[in-house]
Amino acid sequence: MTRTLTFKVVVAAMAVLFNLVGTAFSQDASSANELRKSTADHSMFKVLQQEFSSGPQVTKACLTCHTEASKQVMNSIHWKWRFDHPVTGQKLGKSEVINSFCGNVASNEPRCTSCHAGYGWTDMKMGPPKSQTAVDCLICHDQTGKYTKISTAAGHVAVGEVPSKAKTITGAKAKPIDLSKSAMSVGMPKRENCGQCHFYGGGGDNVKHGDLSSALYDPSVHVDVHMSKDGANMQCSNCHVSKNHNWAGSRYHVDAKGDSGIRKPGARRDVATCESCHGNTPHKGPNPLLAIKINDHTDRVACQTCHIPGFAKGGIATKTKWDWSTAGKLKDGKPYAEEGYTQGNGKHMHTYMSKKGNFEWGEDVIPFYAWFNGQVEYTKQDDTIDPSKVVEVNKIPGSPTDPRARIWPFKRMEGRQAYDKKLNHLVMTNVFGPQSDTAFWTNFDWAKAINAGMKKAGRSYSGEFGFVDTYMYWPITHMVAPAKEALKCDSCHSDGGRLASVTGFYLPGRDKFKWLDILGILAVAVAFIGVTGHGLVRIITKGRRTAQ
């Protein structure tokens, strides 16, 4: 009996039992939603029963009661777009880092800051607005479902007459907002509030994260067992709990090993982890030995690895590759686009745009797996790169010898983006600016766009550019599947399984270790002989007793 066959027999037996485990991750949805009920009907407040001509006017009215709210928001990463990493010491956040999507915020503010939690941030170097009335209360608290920001207006919303071509950050046609109705509707944030920005990052639905899309507004149990109305029907803030308008959970500083203190959804937590609700021994079932063995994985494998077997579900694709080097091609002197991909919901997606280059898309994507200790490190603009290799825009450190590390699933975004050929630095580019002579989306001139972006950011630039291949990693934590869809043992414990490229440790069923394999085969053989011999003895002795 070969090593592979022996292990497959064991795996097959365990897989059958695994299907009997049942739903281990049940949620107390009613308790979670009870915590979300408001104690005030804002339509009764006279200060809100007036016509408003701008978002800041609404905020001014809100502050008459919620006197400290703006101060709290202005101390959060949602406002600052800056995160001082307590472990690596790096200055991160949207205002600081380069990504492999639209690149950088500096010089592109009115477009990028359309998703800022405020109004009117037009210059990264100046920092976010200083006025408390610049905080946008409604983007998180509106319950009319009609409040949304204009995609190119630095966070402002449509009021009064709206330009015919104006669109919202979700890509819909912009329409005037009744700010009074929005103000009188306010309540606790729902998925619709969070999703406007987080589902549409990177320039479109599910473009960036892969596990955050409009499919989560009303998902099936298959798409997300926590958010489905047929599942736990949870909201984002049931896990990402707020304290003084600071939200639990960050992709920059992750508790990869999990918070073991068990709390109900909506209860106070400083990090948003699976373990903070489910604990470190969540698996139960009719077979206690199997449950114990599966629970034995939690100190080495993130819950998401088994329970999110694929992302970009629900008919909404995610971008998996973005090649900026091909951008700028024109037809008859005009920019053009090609739609070569149709996603599951029937929508045709662009695979080339003069403004952005070539793209590839994916649905039900199998994650990239790696050891991860939670402390993300970024390649900053002034870091030296090696253009002969794939540049990791962000690095996901971890190893099997690191007690903080677990095997995690990621979306690995493939990119090709501009860099300084002399200094060997990634560069910042000015892509947005309808009235600008330097914006790439206006004149399709990389030299002008890079020079303008670097100048606006106050960075050194040699004047010579090229393009380099990049990877960028996004932790996968949403789109949790039902327990019956979780990975089975042989998904990883087999030749060519999901963890084929995760090295540095011995994985039964995948790795060859001669003496251990021999011992395993001997153990199976001895067990088989023992069981068979015991059965034969019982048959023989039973026959003798019958004869007597």
Side-chain angles (χ1 to χ4, degrees):
M1 184 179 292
T2 66
R3 171 188 62 85
T4 302
L5 182 59
T6 302
F7 190 77
K8 284 186 175 180
V9 170
V10 177
V11 166
M14 292 184 70
V16 171
L17 293 171
F18 187 75
N19 284 324
L20 300 176
V21 173
T23 303
F25 295 121
S26 61
Q27 294 284 349
D28 188 350
S30 59
S31 297
N33 291 322
E34 279 294 320
L35 292 169
R36 301 180 51 78
K37 288 187 177 180
S38 176
T39 59
D41 178 358
H42 286 72
S43 68
M44 304 294 289
F45 297 160
K46 288 187 178 181
V47 70
L48 302 179
Q49 298 170 358
Q50 59 173 300
E51 289 190 12
F52 297 100
S53 60
S54 71
Q57 285 187 1
V58 177
T59 302
K60 183 178 181 180
C62 296
L63 292 174
T64 60
C65 289
H66 303 280
T67 59
E68 305 305 303
S70 281
K71 297 175 187 176
Q72 293 174 355
V73 171
M74 294 170 84
N75 194 41
S76 72
I77 192 173
H78 274 91
W79 182 260
K80 294 178 178 179
W81 281 10
R82 175 170 166 169
F83 179 77
D84 296 319
H85 202 294
V87 177
T88 68
Q90 284 191 308
K91 290 181 173 60
L92 304 177
K94 289 171 68 69
S95 67
E96 295 284 338
V97 302
I98 290 177
N99 63 56
S100 55
F101 296 85
C102 287
N104 51 275
V105 178
S107 77
N108 304 298
E109 286 88 351
R111 180 67 179 89
C112 296
T113 57
S114 63
C115 269
H116 184 239
Y119 306 109
W121 192 358
T122 58
D123 190 336
M124 285 295 106
K125 287 188 294 185
M126 298 298 292
K130 305 300 187 292
S131 172
Q132 291 186 43
T133 59
V135 171
D136 185 351
C137 303
L138 295 178
I139 192 62
C140 294
H141 294 285
D142 166 80
Q143 301 298 301
T144 66
K146 298 183 182 299
Y147 182 89
T148 187
K149 293 169 177 278
I150 301 174
S151 64
T152 58
H156 287 289
V157 297
V159 180
E161 289 199 21
V162 182
S164 60
K165 294 184 178 181
K167 293 185 177 181
T168 70
I169 56 180
T170 66
K173 179 179 173 57
K175 298 179 180 179
I177 305 298
D178 187 330
L179 292 174
S180 182
K181 283 186 178 180
S182 289
M184 289 189 288
S185 76
V186 299
M188 292 294 289
K190 294 183 178 179
R191 292 192 295 272
E192 291 77 7
N193 299 101
C194 305
Q196 281 194 57
C197 288
H198 290 283
F199 294 172
Y200 290 86
D205 193 355
N206 204 29
V207 164
K208 186 179 288 184
H209 294 272
D211 62 343
L212 289 173
S213 78
S214 63
L216 295 179
Y217 286 141
D218 185 19
S220 66
V221 173
H222 163 71
V223 171
D224 193 290
V225 71
H226 292 125
M227 296 189 185
S228 174
K229 63 186 177 184
D230 297 319
N233 196 25
M234 295 170 69
Q235 303 297 332
C236 304
S237 56
N238 288 140
C239 288
H240 298 281
V241 176
S242 172
K243 180 179 182 181
N244 297 330
H245 286 91
N246 278 271
W247 300 92
S250 168
R251 63 186 172 88
Y252 298 122
H253 181 43
V254 178
D255 187 352
K257 64 181 178 56
D259 177 9
S260 60
I262 301 178
R263 306 169 185 85
K264 288 186 177 181
R268 178 73 239 134
R269 51 176 48 76
D270 295 319
V271 290
T273 67
C274 303
E275 292 86 349
S276 67
C277 280
H278 300 291
N280 289 318
T281 56
H283 302 92
K284 308 287 190 295
N287 189 309
L289 293 179
L290 179 60
I292 290 171
K293 185 57 186 173
I294 298 173
N295 284 333
D296 189 47
H297 284 64
T298 61
D299 65 340
R300 296 279 77 189
V301 182
C303 302
Q304 294 91 327
T305 296
C306 292
H307 290 276
I308 310 179
F311 60 91
K313 299 190 290 185
I316 310 295
T318 187
K319 278 183 182 172
T320 57
K321 188 173 184 178
W322 188 330
D323 185 354
W324 278 100
S325 70
T326 61
K329 293 186 290 186
L330 306 175
K331 284 185 177 180
D332 299 323
K334 296 181 180 180
Y336 69 99
E338 296 173 349
E339 295 177 344
Y341 181 89
T342 303
Q343 63 184 18
N345 67 358
K347 184 178 179 180
H348 301 294
M349 310 301 292
H350 48 256
T351 49
Y352 179 79
M353 296 180 72
S354 296
K355 292 169 58 174
K356 299 181 178 181
N358 285 93
F359 307 99
E360 292 182 10
W361 300 83
E363 295 178 68
D364 298 305
V365 180
I366 294 176
F368 172 86
Y369 300 98
W371 287 100
F372 181 47
N373 64 19
Q375 311 311 312
V376 178
E377 299 175 10
Y378 270 75
T379 299
K380 301 290 291 293
Q381 191 280 317
D382 55 357
D383 290 337
T384 301
I385 65 170
D386 182 353
S388 68
K389 300 178 180 179
V390 177
V391 175
E392 292 184 310
V393 174
N394 62 342
K395 302 176 181 66
I396 44 176
S399 73
T401 60
D402 185 344
R404 301 172 301 168
R406 303 290 183 272
I407 297 174
W408 267 68
F410 294 87
K411 172 185 173 179
R412 185 169 75 175
M413 179 69 181
E414 296 181 28
R416 186 164 178 78
Q417 57 202 91
Y419 80 104
D420 187 318
K421 290 181 70 173
K422 280 192 173 181
L423 299 178
N424 285 334
H425 294 166
L426 294 175
V427 297
M428 295 182 168
T429 56
N430 174 213
V431 295
F432 175 79
Q435 311 303 322
S436 170
D437 180 53
T438 61
F440 185 78
W441 293 349
T442 301
N443 58 33
F444 302 100
D445 187 326
W446 276 117
K448 286 185 177 181
I450 295 171
N451 187 64
M454 295 295 282
K455 184 177 181 180
K456 184 69 182 293
R459 308 297 174 88
S460 299
Y461 174 51
S462 73
E464 293 188 25
F465 68 91
F467 290 88
V468 65
D469 292 324
T470 61
Y471 285 148
M472 190 171 187
Y473 302 93
W474 297 83
I476 297 298
T477 58
H478 308 91
M479 296 191 172
V480 177
K484 65 181 181 181
E485 296 181 23
L487 294 183
K488 304 301 184 287
C489 302
D490 59 353
S491 298
C492 301
H493 294 279
S494 61
D495 291 324
R498 290 195 176 215
L499 301 185
S501 62
V502 183
T503 59
F505 70 109
Y506 176 76
L507 182 63
R510 180 195 71 176
D511 299 325
K512 294 182 178 180
F513 189 29
K514 183 177 179 181
W515 290 109
L516 187 61
D517 292 341
I518 291 173
L519 288 174
I521 292 171
L522 288 175
V524 172
V526 169
F528 177 78
I529 293 170
V531 171
T532 304
H534 179 72
L536 289 173
V537 169
R538 294 197 62 177
I539 291 172
I540 292 170
T541 55
K542 182 178 180 181
R544 289 177 178 176
R545 287 196 299 269
T546 302
Q548 293 174 352

